[in-house]
Amino acid sequence: MRDFYGVVLDSPLMLGTAQYPSPAILEAAFRASGASVATVSLRRESGQGQAFWDIIRGLGVHVLPNTAGCHSAREAITTARMAREVFETNWIKLEVIGHADTLQPDPFGLLDAAETLAAEGFEVFPYMTEDQVLAQRLVDAGCKVLMPWGAPIGSGLGLNNRYGLKTLRAAFPDIPMVIDAGLGLPSHAAAAMELGFDAVLLNTAVAQAGDPVAMARAFGMAASAGALACTADPMEPRDMAAPSTPLIGKAWL
Amino acid sequence: MGRCIISTGSGAMADVTIIGAGVAGLWAAWALNKAGMRVRLIDRNGAPGPHGCSWWAGGMLAPFCEGAVAEAPVVAHGASAAAAWAEVTDVTYRGSLVVALERDKGELARFARRTSGHEWVRDGLAALEPDLNIPQQALFFPSEAHLDPRAALGDLVAALRAHGVQIETGHATPDDVSGPVIDARGMASTVPGLRGVRGEMVVLRAPDIALGRPVRLLHPRHPLYIVPRAKGVYMLGATQIESADRRGISARATLELLSAAYALDPRFAEAEVLETGTDLRPAFADNVPRVVRQGRVLHLNGLFRHGYLMAPALAQQAADFLTKGIKGDLFHED
């Protein structure tokens, strides 16, 4: 099993902590899902968020601070440094937004920020597109984990470019990878894990569900099911039907 | 200590001392007085004003809309809030509207699935709110109501005064007074498990726009509600941020609230900005208000974004406990 900067996770599910109806439901969702990592935005809950951060710490899972909402490398670097102080971890989910409407990552700003932060000892989880060239540059910059998107943040579209993701997975067999953003259904999470990704990260699909706790549990099960399926060497699709029961020797009626 | 402790003289005859004269404390005084108890009401800042979070509320009495995310007790108790307020102040019974831009109409269908007490309005929207520039469709919650929170607080203070209850200005904690105490100090309270949730709001004057009822705009990033007040004044609210930061409204929140209002009706661009406000909503982990008993102290707290919706019911449960020993569904022992 691939590890994340030396940490082997109990569950391939990572959950965001925004937009839940209440902290009580957030907590119940984490318990029901068995998620092993909580992402938290330093920027949005800026300053004086102690009570909420205490709730996040109380979940007893790994905390992955993010730089959500940052639109430039400089902004993301500043936020990352603050997050390291507040949460006492070198982990940082690096998010540099390139477009206000699609919220797609800015690959150039991302690479800049990743280089700086890796040199400062951060353990960077870069939120990126599925671009292979970018992936190589990020690895060269010192990233030992990659976080390609499934689809735009909050869109719930699932795996938008299955081919691209499959190619990326094949190109970097030793790099742990998390599918981050755009997952809307547990089946999307299962599909990502079946493709050989090491974890999935999502927020909106759980937090905004009518029953976030039930949905969190469903995502936990789906991610685990997909991971198990991946280790079981799935069959290849084929064009011709192949009966699973041999017909020879059966009575013809 | 240089702290000014309230005198014990005037309240010596009280059955209960209430500390905090925000919406929770005022309602506690009202409910207990009605139940025949002699109450003493103390607030370090005196009468309600900008120092308390009740001052910054929207004043929507919209239990069904809140039910889209709030827990069941909020919907159940909130349903009787308008009738309770109508005893002391003007309540406008015109229902509330929930709308979405064309791009986000899926949000409207989802909101409809998660709430009750509504009807779909399509062709009738123009008759209901002729000024609303959202042509498509809306959800109408006919039984909901709204009030002007600052006027309502003033009316409640006046009603209490008419019943012989005055607000004393003075600094007091439950330790400073003897006998039963209701601690309704909001964020100043030390009740365990309380956190502050930051909210930011804007007040505009837009006399060209005539909305008769609260309108909620569902938006994946910038949800907004607009509550009409008298004389063309509108309250725009409100952000909900997990932070106890009390500093003034951020540029981002201002942009988001005003942009959403502008999307709803471009004439809001010409409005006069009368006021912006920020304060903290005291909340427990489940965002449901509680009566918490700690010895002789009853805490009334955690009203979150439901101060006006839940204060009457919360106060009633405190009164029922103090007079009859009844423990309601909002009652907790610490």
Side-chain angles (χ1 to χ4, degrees):
Chain A
M1 193 171 177
R2 300 179 191 95
D3 63 271
F4 298 85
Y5 294 101
V7 175
V8 176
L9 299 176
D10 297 336
S11 151
L13 184 65
M14 303 181 175
L15 278 181
T17 55
Q19 302 176 337
Y20 290 79
S22 69
I25 291 176
L26 181 156
E27 199 180 345
F30 266 82
R31 304 229 179 286
S33 69
S36 57
V37 172
T39 59
V40 55
S41 162
L42 186 77
R43 218 160 168 281
R44 178 152 170 78
E45 325 298 356
S46 61
Q48 307 296 315
Q50 205 54 50
F52 187 68
W53 293 336
D54 288 345
I55 291 167
I56 304 300
R57 285 202 190 88
L59 296 172
V61 300
H62 299 280
V63 175
L64 175 58
N66 66 37
T67 62
C70 291
H71 287 256
S72 73
R74 183 187 294 188
E75 212 184 339
I77 290 165
T78 309
T79 306
R81 287 172 182 155
M82 281 165 58
R84 174 148 77 176
E85 273 185 33
V86 172
F87 295 104
E88 295 165 340
T89 173
N90 285 327
W91 279 16
I92 188 77
K93 180 191 152 187
L94 185 58
E95 205 177 307
V96 182
I97 298 300
H99 193 280
D101 210 38
T102 62
L103 299 179
Q104 73 185 82
D106 169 359
F108 309 99
L110 180 67
L111 186 58
D112 273 358
E115 276 168 353
T116 304
L117 292 173
E120 291 180 15
F122 280 92
E123 295 170 333
V124 179
F125 294 61
Y127 167 61
M128 57 182 286
T129 57
E130 70 278 11
D131 189 288
Q132 246 192 78
V133 180
L134 173 62
Q136 185 61 57
R137 294 291 181 89
L138 287 165
V139 170
D140 293 346
C143 295
K144 294 188 167 63
V145 172
L146 296 175
M147 272 193 156
W149 66 350
I153 297 171
S155 68
L157 291 169
L159 305 180
N160 224 5
N161 180 0
R162 227 184 137 83
Y163 161 77
L165 290 170
K166 228 174 149 171
T167 314
L168 184 69
R169 176 68 284 181
F172 298 89
D174 300 325
I175 298 279
M177 284 194 219
V178 186
I179 294 290
D180 176 19
L183 303 187
L185 289 168
S187 54
H188 300 153
M193 297 305 298
E194 286 159 8
L195 287 181
F197 288 91
D198 302 283
V200 291
L201 168 52
L202 56 124
N203 188 347
T204 311
V206 165
Q208 302 271 293
D211 183 344
V213 180
M215 191 59 88
R217 183 156 177 256
F219 266 101
M221 294 164 86
S224 298
L228 187 60
C230 185
T231 63
D233 189 14
M235 66 173 284
E236 290 296 327
R238 25 180 197 220
D239 289 337
M240 199 189 151
S244 49
T245 313
L247 294 174
I248 297 169
K250 283 269 166 83
W252 288 75
L253 299 172
Chain B
M1 302 287 282
R3 201 173 52 174
C4 161
I5 306 281
I6 44 92
S7 73
T8 48
S10 62
M13 296 302 290
D15 299 316
V16 187
T17 304
I18 300 167
I19 309 176
V23 72
L26 291 173
W27 265 101
W30 184 248
L32 289 170
N33 181 270
K34 250 184 136 173
M37 297 186 92
R38 289 167 301 178
V39 303
R40 183 178 186 199
L41 181 55
I42 305 168
D43 190 290
R44 62 181 171 181
N45 291 299
H51 52 265
C53 65
S54 307
W55 195 252
W56 304 104
M60 291 185 293
L61 302 173
F64 296 108
C65 285
E66 291 299 316
V69 285
E71 302 283 344
V74 173
V75 183
H77 292 298
S80 54
W85 277 106
E87 285 182 32
V88 292
T89 193
D90 289 332
V91 174
T92 308
Y93 292 92
R94 288 205 199 113
S96 46
L97 271 179
V98 180
V99 301
L101 304 177
E102 179 63 22
R103 188 178 76 169
D104 308 321
K105 57 186 181 189
E107 307 281 328
L108 206 53
R110 190 169 69 155
F111 197 87
R113 286 200 303 274
R114 292 178 188 179
T115 52
S116 57
H118 56 67
E119 51 199 62
W120 283 97
V121 187
R122 289 181 174 90
D123 304 331
L125 191 55
L128 210 55
E129 281 302 348
D131 253 32
L132 201 61
N133 265 331
I134 300 258
Q136 299 86 21
Q137 54 186 12
L139 283 171
F140 181 45
F141 292 76
S143 68
E144 295 188 336
H146 68 282
L147 49 71
D148 178 336
R150 296 176 190 176
L153 292 174
D155 289 342
L156 189 48
V157 169
L160 282 166
R161 194 182 303 125
H163 285 78
V165 181
Q166 310 276 357
I167 301 171
E168 295 172 43
T169 305
H171 197 292
T173 70
D175 292 340
D176 299 325
V177 289
S178 54
V181 180
I182 287 185
D183 185 340
R185 291 178 296 157
M187 288 307 298
S189 160
T190 54
V191 66
L194 201 67
R195 75 185 198 287
V197 181
R198 177 179 163 93
E200 297 151 292
M201 56 88 96
V202 177
V203 181
L204 299 177
R205 192 196 327 269
D208 294 347
I209 302 175
L211 295 178
R213 52 184 62 71
V215 177
R216 287 173 193 242
L217 175 67
L218 303 181
H219 188 284
R221 285 191 217 169
H222 316 307
L224 167 86
Y225 58 77
I226 298 183
V227 189
R229 305 244 167 105
K231 295 174 186 163
V233 173
Y234 294 91
M235 183 273 192
L236 269 55
T239 57
Q240 193 167 302
I241 300 170
E242 290 288 347
S243 164
D245 184 350
R246 271 201 169 99
R247 285 175 300 175
I249 190 168
S250 68
R252 173 192 295 267
T254 314
L255 279 167
E256 290 174 357
L257 289 172
L258 294 178
S259 303
Y262 177 75
L264 202 60
D265 190 326
R267 289 174 298 173
F268 274 117
E270 303 303 320
E272 176 190 0
V273 178
L274 296 180
E275 199 181 347
T276 63
T278 307
D279 212 335
L280 304 182
R281 309 172 179 95
F284 292 109
D286 57 0
N287 293 343
V288 177
R290 296 180 187 174
V291 177
V292 182
R293 182 192 185 191
Q294 268 182 332
R296 66 186 172 90
V297 181
L298 277 192
H299 295 272
L300 268 60
N301 218 322
L303 282 111
F304 186 49
R305 51 181 277 158
H306 305 122
Y308 288 75
L309 193 62
M310 291 296 285
L314 196 67
Q316 193 54 52
Q317 294 207 359
D320 287 345
F321 176 73
L322 288 173
T323 56
K324 301 173 208 152
I326 297 172
K327 297 176 180 176
D329 63 335
L330 305 172
F331 190 91
H332 294 251
E333 308 256 6
D334 187 47

